[in-house]
């Protein structure tokens, strides 16, 4: 529900519609006396803010975040564009959580002191993970990346020494990539949907053959590592690799420069929780990471931590924005540490990727839907299957 008219203007409430539309007395007394009616629904409100006292989701901010949406609707109301629904819910939830938390500066510092004490208990685990990180980056120097064979790169051939297998499995604790399809690697060996034939498959736009696709992937890997060394954000953003691949590789090769949180929604959540004001809608994941790392480097406790420890502290403090069962101490008012939290597949952002050479064929159920009014189930299936495009630690 949005409040318009006199300022403040913005979203002040949310809830669930609990009835069908029905006719009721008109709210205008004159029209009511004339027998005119209006259409209504019953709503079970779960959040209602006092716009004179509480911070609301202001109309000016909504226009910046969701520029294609009309935020000045008429009295009958309008629908939210499908592409904005999930992000709007996250922004609304973050606002509500932040307002309800209202922890004091002293409480916040107390939580950090607790984390400061127990973080040293993970020394052995961190050392083991660091050895794996160093081994991976040593084995895959720029020269090695340039000359990798197809089977040295791909996942899916049961080879536990391939580049993609090691990146996804051996270094899982650095940032989880499981649950998403192998399409995130650009080229892979395996099946696709209802097609159970095991063969090489690759991302559209990478070439017409598996050799061309591999060359394109290797080219982008080299360009990414080179751009990452120079912290060239423009070239990193232009790189064709998937956001998940870019984020994890940069944090592995340059752990002193890049945060091992890759999901844009998670980055937005932590930026909001820390009340960082400099964010813009056009920011890439790398630029959002930079805001968080600037916060870390200017904090009396955090500036002495590694970037990896800083990421763990964020989940310890605030929990996971996409997993209601993983709350941080600042939310639960508890000193229980929550570490190694990863994103549930059902709530992560996605990137729809077309693969060659096969065309998408609907199954029997989807063919039935085709006959009905609308687009069928293609968009829904794509969302359900691909809502993992940006998943991070």
């Amino acid at each position: 529900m949005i409040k318009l008219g006199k300022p403040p203007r913005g979203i002040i409430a949310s809830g669930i519609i609990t009835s069908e539309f029905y006719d009721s007395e008109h709210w205008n007394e004159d029209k009511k006396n004339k027998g005119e009616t209006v259409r209504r629904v019953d709503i079970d409100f779960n959040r209602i803010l006092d716009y004179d006292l509480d911070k609301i989701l202001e109309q000016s901010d909504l226009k910046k975040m969701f520029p294609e949406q009309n935020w000045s609707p008429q009295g009958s109301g309008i629908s939210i564009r499908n592409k904005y629904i999930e992000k709007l819910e996250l922004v609304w939830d973050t606002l509500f959580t932040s307002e309800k938390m209202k922890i004091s500066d002293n409480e916040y510092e107390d939580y950090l002191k607790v984390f400061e004490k127990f973080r040293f208990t993970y020394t052995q685990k961190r050392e083991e993970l660091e050895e794996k990180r160093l081994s991976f980056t040593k084995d895959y120097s720029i020269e090695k990346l340039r000359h990798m064979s197809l089977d040295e790169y791909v996942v899916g051939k049961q080879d536990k020494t391939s580049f993609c297998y090691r990146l996804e499995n051996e270094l899982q604790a650095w940032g989880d990539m499981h649950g998403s399809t192998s399409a995130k690697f650009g080229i892979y060996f395996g099946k696709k949907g209802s097609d159970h034939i095991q063969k090489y498959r690759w991302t559209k736009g990478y070439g017409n053959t598996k050799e061309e696709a591999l060359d394109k992937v290797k080219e982008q890997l080299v360009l990414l590592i080179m751009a990452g060394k120079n912290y060239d954000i423009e070239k990193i953003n232009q790189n064709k690799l998937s956001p998940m691949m870019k984020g994890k590789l940069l944090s592995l090769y340059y752990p002193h420069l890049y945060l091992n949180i890759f999901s844009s929604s998670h980055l937005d959540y932590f930026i909001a929780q820390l009340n960082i004001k400099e964010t813009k809608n056009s920011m890439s994941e790398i630029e959002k990471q930079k805001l968080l790392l600037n916060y870390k480097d200017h904090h009396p406790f955090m500036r002495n931590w590694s970037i990896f420890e800083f990421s763990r502290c964020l989940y310890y403090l605030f929990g996971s924005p996409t997993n209601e069962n993983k709350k941080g101490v600042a939310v639960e008012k508890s000193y229980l540490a929550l570490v190694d939290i990863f994103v549930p597949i059902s709530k992560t952002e996605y990137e729809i990727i077309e693969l060659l050479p096969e065309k998408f064929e609907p199954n029997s159920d989807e063919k039935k839907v085709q006959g009905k009014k609308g687009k069928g189930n293609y968009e829904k299936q794509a969302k359900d299957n691909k809502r993992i495009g940006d998943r991070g630690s």
Side-chain angles (χ1 to χ4, degrees):
M1 178 177 288
I2 190 168
K3 175 188 176 296
L4 299 175
K6 294 181 179 180
R9 304 182 184 94
I11 294 179
I12 61 170
S14 63
I16 304 296
I17 294 175
T18 58
S19 73
E20 298 292 334
F21 288 102
Y22 61 91
D23 291 326
S24 179
E25 294 180 336
H26 203 287
W27 54 269
N28 183 287
E29 195 67 26
D30 292 337
K31 292 184 178 181
K32 173 183 173 181
N33 294 334
K34 293 178 181 179
E36 295 185 31
T37 62
V38 291
R39 305 200 76 184
R40 300 181 185 273
V41 292
D42 296 330
I43 301 176
D44 182 9
F45 284 99
N46 50 33
R47 296 173 186 171
I48 301 178
L49 300 178
D50 183 337
Y51 55 81
D52 287 326
L53 300 175
D54 297 324
K55 179 182 178 181
I56 69 173
L57 197 49
E58 295 187 9
Q59 183 189 44
S60 57
D61 292 330
L62 291 168
K63 289 179 178 179
K64 292 176 183 177
M65 290 186 285
F66 311 101
E68 296 178 25
Q69 179 70 42
N70 176 16
W71 294 110
S72 300
Q74 300 299 314
S76 57
I78 56 174
S79 297
I80 301 297
R81 290 174 179 260
N82 287 334
K83 66 179 181 179
Y84 288 153
I85 290 175
E86 289 188 13
K87 184 176 180 180
L88 177 60
E89 287 181 341
L90 177 61
V91 173
W92 174 247
D93 288 342
T94 300
L95 172 74
F96 185 75
T97 301
S98 300
E99 287 298 299
K100 287 296 182 182
M101 276 172 42
K102 291 184 178 177
I103 60 172
S104 68
D105 290 340
N106 289 336
E107 286 178 307
Y108 180 67
E109 294 300 323
D110 286 343
Y111 295 143
L112 292 181
K113 289 177 183 177
V114 172
F115 182 83
E116 174 75 16
K117 291 179 180 179
F118 78 70
R119 74 185 178 95
F120 293 108
T121 65
Y122 293 90
T123 300
Q124 183 177 356
K125 180 180 179 180
R126 289 199 307 272
E127 289 177 350
E128 292 174 356
L129 188 56
E130 178 66 8
E131 287 182 8
K132 292 179 180 179
R133 185 193 72 79
L134 289 171
S135 175
F136 180 85
T137 55
K138 180 180 178 181
D139 291 344
Y140 295 104
S141 63
I142 287 181
E143 199 60 28
K144 175 62 177 178
L145 293 175
R146 284 194 176 110
H147 296 95
M148 270 193 302
S149 68
L150 186 57
D151 289 343
E152 285 176 326
Y153 176 77
V154 298
V155 69
K157 302 200 77 173
Q158 308 303 316
D159 184 357
K160 296 184 178 182
T161 65
S162 72
F163 175 91
C164 292
Y165 183 91
R166 291 179 64 185
L167 180 66
E168 185 171 34
N169 297 283
E170 185 178 297
L171 292 159
Q172 178 180 352
W174 195 270
D176 195 6
M177 301 175 72
H178 284 93
S180 59
T181 70
S182 296
K184 61 178 174 280
F185 297 123
I187 183 170
Y188 67 99
F189 185 86
K191 60 184 181 179
K192 172 195 168 187
S194 59
D195 182 356
H196 297 291
I197 299 176
Q198 298 281 334
K199 60 183 177 181
Y200 293 105
R201 303 175 188 273
W202 55 93
T203 303
K204 184 178 181 180
Y206 274 28
N208 297 316
T209 66
K210 59 182 182 292
E211 290 79 14
E212 289 179 0
L214 176 65
D215 287 343
K216 185 66 174 180
V217 168
K218 290 193 295 184
E219 173 195 63
Q220 294 303 304
L221 285 171
V222 171
L223 290 175
L224 178 69
I225 302 307
M226 293 173 65
K229 183 177 181 179
N230 299 321
Y231 205 80
D232 191 328
I233 294 180
E234 183 178 355
K235 289 184 178 179
I236 291 172
N237 291 339
Q238 291 173 352
N239 194 279
K240 302 300 183 182
L241 296 175
S242 68
M244 188 188 304
M245 280 277 286
K246 290 195 289 187
K248 187 163 187 178
L249 286 170
L250 288 173
S251 68
L252 286 170
Y253 278 83
Y254 310 108
H256 60 292
L257 290 178
Y258 302 95
L259 185 62
N260 60 313
I261 299 175
F262 323 132
S263 166
S264 186
S265 63
H266 280 222
L267 293 168
D268 288 338
Y269 173 73
F270 293 129
I271 287 171
Q273 293 294 344
L274 295 176
N275 200 28
I276 298 173
K277 302 293 188 182
E278 296 85 354
T279 184
K280 298 178 181 178
N281 294 330
S282 58
M283 279 186 169
S284 66
E285 289 82 359
I286 300 300
E287 292 167 314
K288 292 174 182 178
Q289 287 182 13
K290 186 175 181 179
L291 289 180
L292 289 168
L293 292 177
N294 283 340
Y295 178 93
K296 167 196 174 300
D297 292 340
H298 289 86
H299 193 279
F301 284 168
M302 297 179 177
R303 65 187 178 195
N304 297 317
W305 300 347
S306 69
I307 290 179
F308 183 85
E309 290 169 336
F310 172 62
S311 71
R312 289 298 175 257
C313 184
L314 291 177
Y315 287 104
Y316 160 78
L317 286 172
F318 305 114
S320 170
T322 50
N323 189 338
E324 296 175 357
N325 297 320
K326 299 296 185 182
K327 302 297 184 183
V329 294
V331 176
E332 292 289 353
K333 299 286 185 178
S334 160
Y335 287 106
L336 175 64
L338 297 173
V339 296
D340 295 332
I341 299 171
F342 302 113
V343 187
I345 296 302
S346 61
K347 294 189 177 182
T348 48
E349 293 188 355
Y350 62 92
E351 177 183 3
I352 298 176
I353 301 173
E354 297 181 36
L355 300 177
L356 293 176
E358 293 78 21
K359 293 183 178 179
F360 180 81
E361 292 293 338
N363 59 34
S364 57
D365 291 335
E366 289 162 346
K367 288 178 179 178
K368 293 178 182 179
V369 177
Q370 283 279 315
K372 298 180 180 180
K373 183 179 180 180
K375 295 181 180 179
N377 254 358
Y378 292 117
E379 184 176 355
K380 180 179 184 302
Q381 185 190 47
K383 289 183 178 180
D384 290 342
N385 290 341
K386 305 294 184 184
R387 299 178 84 182
I388 34 69
D390 269 343
R391 201 170 98 164
S393 60

